[in-house]
Amino acid sequence: MDSDDDMLDAHDMESGDDDYYSGGTDDYDDSDETDYGFGEADADDSAIIASHRSQINYVVLKEEDIRRHQNDDVGRVSVVLSITDVEASILLLHYHWSVSKVHDEWFADEERIRRTVGILEGPVVPTPEGRELTCGICFESYPLEQIVSVSCGHPFCTTCWTGYISTTINDGPGCLMLKCPEPSCPAAIGRDMIDKLACKEDKEKYYRYFLRSYIEDNRKMKWCPAPGCEHAIDFAAGTESYDVSCLCSYSFCWNCTEEAHRPVDCDTVGKWILKNSAESENMNWILANSKPCPRCKRPIEKNHGCMHMTCTPPCKHEFCWLCLNAWTEHGERTGGFYACNRYEAAKQEGLYDEAERRREMAKNSLERYTHYYERWASNQVSRQKAMGDLQKMQSEKLGKLSDIQCTPESQLKFIAEAWLQIIECRRVLKWTYAYGYYLPDHAKRQFFEYLQGEAESGLERLHKCVEKDLEVFQIADGPSDEFNHFRTKLTGLTSITKTYFENLVKALENGLADVDIQAASSKPANSKSSSKTKGGGKGKGSSKNGGSSRNPDDN
């Protein structure tokens, strides 16, 4: 993690907000504008999003790329082993498209591999004599031109072959390992037989399975999990970040295939998603906000101020909400409709302590979860809105702004860069709430809430600038001299926000190690000094409200 001063650069800039951007601009002179692509040719949106990552450790493959890689591997194996492309395909399918594994196994024991995979060097049945042969499936006699066999030599008619192949293809990807219809025969059926005997629809299915096997059997490749996306990701192993961004604009974690979730680890994401979909919080809500009817035991929620409760039909039992005794035993002497003397007396005797404790624990747990979940979901909604705003800006507003300000669209990319940074920051901020929910250390939580609050403040400044401050120039009658000032300001805010969030991610991925270092350095301190500050000392995170993340149970 960087030093605290580096982490809080964005916060330090806030004090001089307008003065900073209206004063000297040495840090943002014209020489820096090349970083934002001013004057370059337009690129499509997907390329911008894909290149937004600071470290690219993967390659996005389109269908034609996958097919090219596949054909290259088949060609290499065919040339090195001096076999046909069909036989090379059978070998690669068997060894999960590992060229090196195919080479190693083949040169170690070619004869064994041929038997195992089903690439036979000659027929295993004698060549029949005569003008007709009997099909091994339907047992009808056919002329030789209507009989087909693979390397093993077992004869089957074209009609039975077509039915056999079609049935297997419609059963799923297992058709890629298709064997001879003779039950005891290991001979493999290659692509040449599919091309020769399958119908057009079955061929399309087979080759779709064939293409997908190249990705699904490869440890370094995965399909993009976005609905409808046909791209795959070739990931470089040994890198720190698992986050990848497809050309379809969907970002996900290579390790767990959930949406991109830095700085939260995959185990925490799994627990958080399970918690969001589990019934545990429903039970907590029922326990915290309802009581069972004393007669039928169904949970009842109190929705009015009166203590007089009536269960729903067919039970219709009337009872007191506080003490749960029958309402017929209540009246003015027990406290009326809005109090219960019997409950207060029993409570003093400790009769309701355990039930109240369980209800209070459930209520606190529910409030804490709701606190983090609402903010997690809120940032997701904000991120989706920002993505929509970016698309609207690029499709509708950017051209108009270019005309009004007499500026080429290629020099307005800094606006798209700001929106992309907002989208990325919303994603990071969203997952910090899952991080905070599972953060047990109170000292670290204070520091975390402070960093999170500062991140939210910086992001809101950037969001306001690109959303509100830009409107002035979008409705202007003509070019404005202030637009260059606005560009410098927005570019600066984008850079500062990006740096702060990158440091925030590093800090959280590092487990907020600075807090451990500070705690370790404070242990040798004088015990008298410790006693003086006991109960009144402030950690770094308590100097300012830690933003929206502060847990309601912390106070």
Side-chain angles (χ1 to χ4, degrees):
M1 177 180 167
D2 294 346
S3 66
D4 295 342
D5 293 336
D6 293 334
M7 283 292 298
L8 303 178
D9 281 343
H11 174 57
D12 296 338
M13 297 299 296
E14 181 183 7
S15 59
D17 199 1
D18 291 336
D19 293 338
Y20 174 83
Y21 290 112
S22 60
T25 57
D26 294 340
D27 293 337
Y28 302 105
D29 58 16
D30 293 339
S31 62
D32 288 336
E33 291 179 359
T34 53
D35 294 340
Y36 294 88
F38 298 144
E40 297 177 358
D42 285 330
D44 58 34
D45 298 345
S46 60
I48 295 176
I49 294 174
S51 64
H52 187 58
R53 300 284 182 176
S54 58
Q55 181 184 7
I56 301 300
N57 51 2
Y58 55 90
V59 177
V60 181
L61 302 176
K62 299 179 181 179
E63 183 173 325
E64 54 268 28
D65 300 322
I66 301 170
R67 204 175 300 281
R68 185 178 68 253
H69 285 303
Q70 197 173 36
N71 291 336
D72 289 345
D73 287 351
V74 170
R76 281 197 297 162
V77 170
S78 175
V79 169
V80 173
L81 304 186
S82 299
I83 56 178
T84 66
D85 285 354
V86 172
E87 292 172 331
S89 299
I90 294 172
L91 277 171
L92 286 166
L93 283 167
H94 183 82
Y95 288 105
H96 306 293
W97 294 97
S98 174
V99 175
S100 60
K101 183 73 171 176
V102 169
H103 290 166
D104 293 343
E105 294 292 327
W106 182 271
F107 290 118
D109 193 341
E110 178 184 336
E111 185 178 348
R112 179 180 63 82
I113 297 306
R114 283 185 175 275
R115 290 196 309 269
T116 301
V117 178
I119 303 176
L120 307 182
E121 292 186 278
V124 296
V125 294
T127 304
E129 297 179 359
R131 296 181 178 180
E132 291 187 348
L133 289 177
T134 301
C135 172
I137 295 177
C138 66
F139 300 105
E140 296 285 341
S141 296
Y142 292 92
L144 292 179
E145 60 268 18
Q146 295 184 30
I147 292 292
V148 179
S149 61
V150 288
S151 58
C152 58
H154 290 113
F156 303 97
C157 69
T158 55
T159 304
C160 290
W161 266 116
T162 301
Y164 175 65
I165 289 173
S166 178
T167 300
T168 311
I169 289 175
N170 286 310
D171 283 344
C175 64
L176 297 176
M177 310 300 291
L178 195 58
K179 301 292 185 181
C180 173
E182 180 67 31
S184 60
C185 182
I189 298 175
R191 290 184 293 164
D192 54 340
M193 292 291 285
I194 306 299
D195 293 336
K196 181 178 180 180
L197 298 169
C199 65
K200 180 180 179 181
E201 182 182 353
D202 288 341
K203 286 180 186 177
E204 290 176 355
K205 288 182 181 179
Y206 179 87
Y207 279 103
R208 175 57 56 183
Y209 294 140
F210 187 75
L211 182 74
R212 294 189 68 85
S213 70
Y214 188 75
I215 302 299
E216 292 163 7
D217 289 347
N218 195 323
R219 293 182 180 180
K220 291 174 54 185
M221 298 181 183
K222 287 182 182 179
W223 293 107
C224 172
C229 182
E230 295 293 333
H231 297 141
I233 310 295
D234 186 357
F235 188 78
T239 54
E240 295 181 0
S241 173
Y242 285 111
D243 284 3
V244 299
S245 183
C246 182
L247 294 179
C248 69
S249 303
Y250 184 74
S251 298
F252 67 97
C253 171
W254 169 264
N255 189 43
C256 66
T257 67
E258 295 290 348
E259 65 172 283
H261 51 72
R262 290 187 71 197
V264 184
D265 61 77
C266 296
D267 291 338
T268 301
V269 170
K271 289 191 295 183
W272 178 253
I273 292 175
L274 180 62
K275 188 172 187 64
N276 293 344
S277 61
E279 294 293 322
S280 59
E281 296 310 320
N282 293 341
M283 295 307 300
N284 273 341
W285 189 94
I286 291 173
L287 185 59
N289 296 280
S290 68
K291 291 183 180 181
C293 169
R295 176 180 292 174
C296 69
K297 305 304 180 185
R298 282 185 298 178
I300 296 177
E301 179 188 6
K302 183 176 180 292
N303 59 1
H304 290 91
C306 178
M307 300 301 170
H308 181 193
M309 308 298 296
T310 302
C311 189
T312 55
C315 178
K316 295 184 179 180
H317 179 61
E318 299 182 28
F319 62 95
C320 172
W321 173 259
L322 292 176
C323 69
L324 300 180
N325 289 321
W327 189 255
T328 55
E329 302 175 7
H330 287 68
E332 291 294 333
R333 57 188 177 80
T334 60
F337 285 91
Y338 295 93
C340 181
N341 298 337
R342 292 182 178 181
Y343 169 77
E344 295 297 335
K347 186 177 180 181
Q348 291 181 1
E349 295 175 6
L351 297 181
Y352 294 102
D353 286 354
E354 180 61 23
E356 290 294 333
R357 185 185 66 82
R358 290 179 57 202
R359 188 171 289 108
E360 188 64 26
M361 287 179 60
K363 186 177 181 180
N364 290 340
S365 174
L366 181 63
E367 287 180 352
R368 182 172 183 271
Y369 168 72
T370 303
H371 171 86
Y372 285 96
Y373 177 79
E374 286 180 347
R375 287 153 180 79
W376 179 85
S378 176
N379 275 285
Q380 172 64 7
V381 172
S382 298
R383 183 172 183 269
Q384 293 293 340
K385 183 179 183 302
M387 292 174 71
D389 290 341
L390 170 61
Q391 185 176 4
K392 187 176 181 180
M393 166 62 68
Q394 292 176 322
S395 61
E396 300 177 14
K397 298 181 180 180
L398 210 59
K400 295 179 182 178
L401 181 64
S402 175
D403 293 339
I404 293 173
Q405 299 299 326
C406 299
T407 304
E409 287 191 32
S410 60
Q411 295 187 18
L412 298 177
K413 287 184 179 180
F414 69 97
I415 300 175
E417 285 291 320
W419 277 114
L420 286 170
Q421 189 60 51
I422 289 170
I423 292 169
E424 174 65 8
C425 291
R426 284 294 177 194
R427 183 194 65 76
V428 172
L429 203 54
K430 164 188 167 181
W431 285 108
T432 61
Y433 286 101
Y435 184 98
Y437 182 80
Y438 292 103
L439 187 63
D441 192 320
H442 183 71
K444 286 186 177 181
R445 190 186 302 165
Q446 285 185 317
F447 186 40
F448 160 75
E449 288 170 355
Y450 173 72
L451 296 179
Q452 189 185 51
E454 292 300 308
E456 286 185 331
S457 299
L459 179 56
E460 290 303 325
R461 286 197 299 272
L462 175 61
H463 207 151
K464 175 180 176 296
C465 183
V466 74
E467 191 172 47
K468 300 296 183 183
D469 297 357
L470 184 60
E471 289 182 358
V472 177
F473 304 103
Q474 291 174 332
I475 61 175
D477 296 329
S480 171
D481 294 337
E482 293 295 319
F483 187 71
N484 286 333
H485 173 74
F486 167 78
R487 180 172 67 180
T488 303
K489 178 179 179 179
L490 182 58
T491 302
L493 278 174
T494 303
S495 176
I496 291 170
T497 305
K498 178 181 179 181
T499 300
Y500 185 88
F501 270 82
E502 286 176 350
N503 289 333
L504 174 64
V505 167
K506 291 177 184 177
L508 298 187
E509 288 180 333
N510 201 29
L512 296 174
D514 278 9
V515 179
D516 294 330
I517 295 173
Q518 291 175 1
S521 63
S522 64
K523 285 183 179 179
N526 192 306
S527 58
K528 292 184 179 180
S529 300
S530 301
S531 62
K532 288 181 181 180
T533 59
K534 184 177 181 181
K538 282 189 176 183
K540 187 171 185 179
S542 62
S543 62
K544 181 177 178 180
N545 189 324
S548 304
S549 168
R550 188 167 297 280
N551 183 353
D553 294 338
D554 289 346
N555 296 328

